[in-house]
Amino acid sequence: MRRRLAILWLGAIVAAAGYLGWRFADGAPFRTDLMALLPVADHDPAVARAKQAMTDLVARRIVVLVGHRDRGLARLAATEMAASLARSGVLSPADAVPDSTAAARLGAAYFPYRAGLLSDADRRLLLGDRGQDIVNRALSQIYGFASFADSRLLRNDPFLLFPEFLKGLPGLGGQAFPDDGLLTIRDDGRVWIVVSGSLAGDPFALEFQGRFQRAWDAAMAAAGAPAEGLSVLRLGTIFYARAGASEALAEASAITACAIIGAIALMLLAFRSVTPLVLGVLSILAGLVAALSASLLAFGTPHVAVLLFGAGLIGVTVDYGVHYFTQVFTPRAEPVERLRRVLPGMLLGAGTTAIGYCALAIAPYPGLRQVAVFSVVGVAASLLTVILWFPLLDRVRPRPLPAAWRRMAALTHRLWTEDGLRRVRMTAAIAALAVGVVGFSTMRTEDDIRRQQDLPAHLVSEQNEIQRLAGIDTAGQFFLVEAKDDEEALAGEEVLAARLAPLVEAGALAGWRSPADFVPSMARQSENRRLIEERLERSQLAALQDRLGMTPGPGERRADGFLDLRRVRATGQAAFLDALVLDGTKDGALHVVALQGLADPAAARRAGDGLPGVRFIDPAADVTALLGSYRRQAVWLLGASILLMVPLLAVRHGWRGGLRIMAPPSAAVLLAPALLALCGLPFTFFAAMALVLVLAIGVDYAIFCAEDGDGEAATLTAVTLATLTTMLSFGLLAFSHTAAVQTFGITMLTGIAIAFLAAPGAASGRPR
């Protein structure tokens, strides 16, 4: 029967391995964005859609500046780069830099409605009854150097109001200006050409990142970089995502390699035989193959962080093989006897470990659920491998425990059992209590999501330089405007704009972009018509035409109605406007007002207070608040895990024994954050979740010590080996460059160490 089950399990592992091969054939199917690890907490569909729209607008866009002191070389390099990226298919052709005819097509859509269109500056002049200033400006433009006004334009727009309106339309912004079909910036004798576009794929998908990197390398080669004097600056989420993914994969590979090498060294040192090592690796591989297959089946494209935490799974699954093979240091010669000796502890430990991991799944975080599924399946698969395969493959004969391990086990046993050391134990307990009290009194929390991931310094430097040169600084915060129709939404945005303008003057905000910047509301267009007629045409037009020698008469026919969003969007030349107008709402209009260079979010939030349908959205602040909320929930999860574990332990060890077993891991959970606080480290959500695992793994150590009861050297050696391998795998996460992962690793390293030192204290909880 055991052989048949072993063969069935072999078939399952082979099938899982085949599935992995099929999924990895087209590249690694993982996501890399940190936000994907967080919950979809916006139950308001409008807010969720707006956040997604802003994410797409910002995350899918790239801006590249190609600079050289020679204008011709800069233009040639930028043109070659843009053409190479377009040929590769990674940039959407429809959203590339507008060509030389785009402005003309957009102007043609606006021109029939010119009677109701005013730039903000001209509108302020007319409201202040300063029409003469507009007349003077028009005359200077008509008679000035490089005048663009011809007789047709003057006949239709004698005050040159329409060109001023077009100049005020949102474009790239800043110092960029069109120059022979290319957006250009001049700065300190250097010419910068703008290459921009929208990505044709998901910037957080590893497969697309790989394609983009190859296309980028080819584009750089086509541009002639690194040619002498040529500079290239990059701005875009995909550059950060690619750098972060490369670092995460490199870290995962390094941590996994170090954990495996460390485990191999420990196994060889302890057993002086390759069989425990080979079978131990076999149980680890079976766990990883099953865990990864289950994650891909359940989640499609899990997060790459699962690999990082998966490296830690090695430290858990290796424990079963270690406990099994330390039985070779006892008189038990038959594999079945060895398995029978450790099986109750392994089953009880796996059950409590599963409770701890399942606590992760309670938290509404997609990434943590992925880790929970990965870990529970991995632990179960490794345990099955030990139970079904080890007795059939075990050929190791009993042998004496090495003297060093025996002395270490004896010392550990003495620390917790020798009467002469009672004072030492009491002193240690008082010291631990003092550490706990002082540590908790100095503990501080940190939930800011922006501090959970370090950004590459060279990319940040390039981003800052682009923002300085081009004035591009789209903030993560924005306003969401809901109304019964577009007209009401546009009117609301105009009221909001009046409130935001003082913030710009005060330096709290660099600017904003709203649909009303492209198309004024009908009410605003009607008012503009009245202002032009009353304060320009009636009082200034005749004199201006006389001075210009023009014959009075009507120009080209003006449209009777009002300009609306539909007409402008139909030109296909206002991609930014498309991103700000969210289509598909049944109950009305849904617009976004994008903010730029926001230095005072609180002031911006106050600007929207009291405006019907206007809400200030700050995704990073919302996520930070959620992290704080779920950090507190995680602490409650620890209590829930303990409550769930005690009854399971009580079945075999009684209620008093169950509580005694829970004491060491509970002490680790309390002391680890206190110690970190004394070291100046904050308590974060990720530290809280690490404590859930410290509890789950630490209780294993206490269980095996309690199962042994009399301090058998083989058992204490197994616990020591298990602790060292766990600290190797989880502790190595402390060296990650991702702050969240690093915090997780440090907490695990500290907590597991405390759990190991305290575990022998559970030894008197003998099975009933």
Side-chain angles (χ1 to χ4, degrees):
M1 185 60 181
R2 180 186 298 275
R3 189 175 297 275
R4 289 180 181 177
L5 290 175
I7 293 174
L8 284 175
W9 181 237
L10 176 62
I13 294 298
V14 170
Y19 174 70
L20 288 183
W22 174 66
R23 288 296 306 271
F24 277 81
D26 295 327
F30 296 102
R31 292 184 61 82
T32 61
D33 52 328
L34 185 61
M35 301 300 286
L37 293 172
L38 302 174
V40 180
D42 298 312
H43 300 295
D44 187 331
V47 175
R49 288 185 58 219
K51 286 184 177 179
Q52 186 59 51
M54 288 301 294
T55 298
D56 290 343
L57 175 65
V58 175
R60 288 181 181 271
R61 193 165 191 82
I62 69 166
V63 175
V64 180
L65 297 189
V66 181
H68 199 282
R69 291 193 174 276
D70 186 301
R71 173 178 175 273
L73 289 178
R75 290 173 62 86
L76 177 62
T79 304
E80 292 294 335
M81 173 180 284
S84 178
L85 289 172
R87 284 195 303 271
S88 68
V90 297
L91 279 186
S92 173
D95 199 30
V97 178
D99 58 30
S100 57
T101 65
R105 292 197 295 272
L106 197 59
Y110 278 101
F111 191 71
Y113 302 92
R114 61 191 179 281
L117 303 177
L118 281 174
S119 68
D120 290 340
D122 287 350
R123 178 177 164 80
R124 286 194 295 272
L125 287 174
L126 293 180
L127 287 171
D129 202 13
R130 296 169 58 188
Q132 186 60 48
D133 290 357
I134 294 178
V135 173
N136 294 338
R137 185 193 65 203
L139 288 172
S140 67
Q141 290 175 338
I142 293 169
Y143 292 117
F145 178 73
S147 172
F148 58 87
D150 56 20
S151 59
R152 176 176 176 270
L153 177 59
L154 292 175
R155 173 69 62 189
N156 290 287
D157 184 23
F159 300 103
L160 300 181
L161 299 173
F162 186 63
E164 290 299 312
F165 171 80
L166 291 181
K167 284 167 58 179
L169 285 178
L172 185 64
Q175 297 90 330
F177 60 91
D179 177 13
D180 196 14
L182 297 177
L183 287 174
T184 305
I185 299 170
R186 292 185 181 275
D187 179 75
D188 194 22
R190 182 173 285 269
V191 177
W192 295 93
I193 307 300
V194 180
V195 176
S196 70
S198 183
L199 298 174
D202 184 351
F204 299 112
L206 281 179
E207 184 275 333
F208 182 75
Q209 289 176 14
R211 282 202 296 128
F212 180 83
Q213 186 62 52
R214 291 189 291 275
W216 175 256
D217 292 340
M220 289 289 284
E228 184 176 355
L230 187 70
S231 302
V232 176
L233 303 176
R234 298 162 290 173
L235 173 61
T237 300
I238 191 167
F239 297 114
Y240 289 101
R242 176 65 179 173
S246 298
E247 183 175 304
L249 290 173
E251 283 183 355
S253 301
I255 290 172
T256 301
C258 290
I260 290 176
I261 292 173
I264 289 174
L266 282 171
M267 297 286 278
L268 290 176
L269 183 65
F271 297 106
R272 292 163 296 163
S273 169
V274 295
T275 299
L277 173 62
V278 171
L279 293 185
V281 171
L282 190 63
S283 70
I284 292 172
L285 290 177
L288 290 176
V289 167
L292 194 52
S293 300
S295 297
L296 291 173
L297 276 172
F299 304 107
T301 53
H303 197 277
V304 70
V306 171
L307 290 181
L308 281 173
F309 290 110
L313 183 64
I314 295 171
V316 179
T317 55
V318 74
D319 292 359
Y320 303 128
V322 168
H323 282 288
Y324 176 89
F325 275 107
T326 50
Q327 293 303 305
V328 302
F329 301 128
T330 69
R332 303 177 186 92
E334 295 298 323
V336 175
E337 292 181 359
R338 294 169 180 173
L339 179 63
R340 188 179 299 120
R341 167 65 176 170
V342 297
L343 186 58
M346 287 198 296
L347 290 176
L348 200 56
T352 53
T353 298
I355 289 174
Y357 280 121
C358 286
L360 291 176
I362 297 175
Y365 286 81
L368 292 177
R369 287 176 178 168
Q370 293 172 18
V371 172
V373 170
F374 186 97
S375 302
V376 170
V377 173
V379 167
S382 291
L383 180 60
L384 275 176
T385 302
V386 172
I387 294 173
L388 297 177
W389 291 358
F390 276 29
L392 299 176
L393 302 174
D394 178 12
R395 299 290 185 271
V396 182
R397 296 181 177 179
R399 60 190 59 182
L401 180 66
W405 291 101
R406 183 176 294 280
R407 286 195 294 271
M408 186 182 302
L411 176 62
T412 305
H413 186 65
R414 282 183 57 206
L415 286 174
W416 282 96
T417 58
E418 193 168 298
D419 291 339
L421 296 177
R422 185 186 299 274
R423 185 170 298 176
V424 174
R425 292 194 291 272
M426 289 296 296
T427 302
I430 294 172
L433 181 63
V435 166
V437 171
V438 176
F440 275 102
S441 66
T442 61
M443 185 178 295
R444 60 186 176 87
T445 59
E446 175 60 77
D447 300 311
D448 194 335
I449 184 65
R450 289 160 291 200
R451 298 179 183 174
Q452 303 301 324
Q453 190 174 33
D454 293 331
L455 301 177
H458 65 287
L459 291 178
V460 173
S461 176
E462 292 183 24
Q463 173 180 318
N464 292 337
E465 184 64 2
I466 288 180
Q467 289 174 344
R468 184 187 71 80
L469 289 168
I472 302 172
D473 188 12
T474 302
Q477 301 90 342
F478 60 91
F479 282 99
L480 180 64
V481 181
E482 292 180 275
K484 66 179 182 181
D485 53 31
D486 284 331
E487 172 61 15
E488 185 175 295
L490 292 173
E493 291 156 24
E494 288 164 352
V495 176
L496 176 63
R499 295 189 179 187
L500 293 177
L503 301 186
V504 175
E505 295 175 1
L509 178 68
W512 69 89
R513 291 288 180 264
S514 73
D517 292 331
F518 292 86
V519 178
S521 67
M522 295 180 187
R524 175 65 58 89
Q525 292 181 56
S526 178
E527 186 182 10
N528 288 344
R529 287 181 181 181
R530 181 183 59 78
L531 286 171
I532 294 171
E533 182 180 348
E534 293 178 356
R535 303 189 179 182
L536 279 178
E537 292 181 345
R538 291 181 185 173
S539 58
Q540 306 283 352
L541 182 58
L544 178 63
Q545 289 179 329
D546 182 62
R547 185 166 181 176
L548 296 177
M550 296 174 58
T551 303
E556 296 177 20
R557 181 177 178 276
R558 299 174 180 177
D560 294 330
F562 295 98
L563 181 67
D564 57 30
L565 289 171
R566 180 182 54 80
R567 292 179 187 277
V568 176
R569 297 181 68 191
T571 65
Q573 303 302 318
F576 199 90
L577 173 61
D578 291 338
L580 299 179
V581 179
L582 308 182
D583 292 326
T585 56
K586 297 180 180 179
D587 301 325
L590 195 61
H591 293 185
V592 169
V593 177
L595 302 178
Q596 298 174 320
L598 180 59
D600 189 347
R605 186 185 294 273
R606 288 194 297 272
D609 287 348
L611 293 181
V614 176
R615 280 186 283 175
F616 180 73
I617 307 296
D618 187 344
D622 292 345
V623 172
T624 297
L626 279 171
L627 277 180
S629 170
Y630 290 122
R631 171 178 51 76
R632 292 185 287 273
Q633 287 192 23
V635 174
W636 286 106
L637 287 176
L638 287 171
S641 297
I642 292 173
L643 292 177
L644 291 171
M645 288 177 182
V646 171
L648 181 62
L649 295 170
V651 171
R652 182 168 172 81
H653 292 271
W655 288 104
R656 180 173 296 181
L659 293 173
R660 189 177 183 88
I661 292 173
M662 290 306 304
S666 300
V669 166
L670 291 172
L671 286 177
L675 276 172
L676 296 180
L678 288 177
C679 295
L681 297 176
F683 186 61
T684 69
F685 166 77
F686 299 96
M689 296 312 296
L691 292 181
V692 175
L693 294 185
V694 167
L695 179 66
I697 298 173
V699 75
D700 274 9
Y701 304 156
I703 286 174
F704 280 102
C705 288
E707 287 287 329
D708 175 69
D710 54 4
E712 189 177 66
T715 300
L716 292 176
T717 299
V719 171
T720 303
L721 280 170
T723 301
L724 291 175
T725 53
T726 300
M727 292 176 71
L728 264 176
S729 51
F730 280 115
L732 287 175
L733 297 178
F735 297 98
S736 170
H737 289 92
T738 302
V741 178
Q742 185 184 56
T743 300
F744 190 92
I746 293 175
T747 308
M748 287 294 299
L749 190 65
T750 308
I752 290 298
I754 298 172
F756 164 72
L757 292 174
S764 57
R766 302 296 301 275
R768 289 186 303 184

